[in-house]
Amino acid sequence: MMFAFSIFAASSPAPVDTNFVDPAITDDNAAAKQLTDVLKKDGVKMDSVLDEHFMFASVIWSAVAGGYLLYARKQREIPPFLGGVAMMAVSFMVASWFWMSLICIALMFGIYFQMKQGD
């Protein structure tokens, strides 16, 4: 399904510099306009949030985090639980697929070494 989505997203006739937020919608909605203004002020590009690399990385790392949470529940272990929560938070809060992947990989190594220390 992600492959089909990426094909449609990649072959879109829209220009590259298109802003995905419709100004007609944000001008009528004060809360949406305020949110887009804050995001622009913080340097977040709206089209980077809808980038296929970001979406794919977010889905992958959220799934890995869910696996850690299920493992932690079944084994009654704290480090995988904390790592799963941290990975889930990173996949929601980091706006770059590259940094999200690096942080999640570092968390995976941290969980691995913490679990080795417990043995």
Side-chain angles (χ1 to χ4, degrees):
M1 183 164 158
M2 290 300 292
F3 176 74
F5 178 76
S6 67
I7 288 176
F8 289 120
S11 63
S12 173
V16 176
D17 61 347
T18 300
N19 188 356
F20 286 103
V21 178
D22 187 10
I25 296 171
T26 58
D27 289 341
D28 293 341
N29 189 345
K33 183 167 177 48
Q34 181 183 7
L35 177 63
T36 56
D37 290 342
V38 168
L39 289 174
K40 285 179 185 177
K41 185 177 77 174
D42 290 342
V44 175
K45 296 178 182 173
M46 293 306 291
D47 39 330
S48 69
V49 177
L50 296 175
D51 180 33
E52 64 265 9
H53 301 293
F54 171 78
M55 294 179 83
F56 183 72
S58 182
V59 167
I60 292 296
W61 295 120
S62 294
V64 171
Y68 272 113
L69 291 173
L70 288 173
Y71 174 78
R73 182 173 180 234
K74 187 164 183 95
Q75 298 296 321
R76 306 277 187 208
E77 295 284 340
I78 297 297
F81 175 75
L82 294 177
V85 169
M87 288 175 76
M88 192 80 63
V90 165
S91 69
F92 283 114
M93 293 183 190
V94 176
S96 168
W97 67 270
F98 178 75
W99 290 111
M100 179 192 317
S101 297
L102 283 180
I103 293 169
C104 287
I105 289 169
L107 283 170
M108 286 175 59
F109 279 115
I111 294 166
Y112 173 76
F113 288 121
Q114 185 66 31
M115 292 298 290
K116 285 296 233 184
Q117 294 290 329
D119 288 343

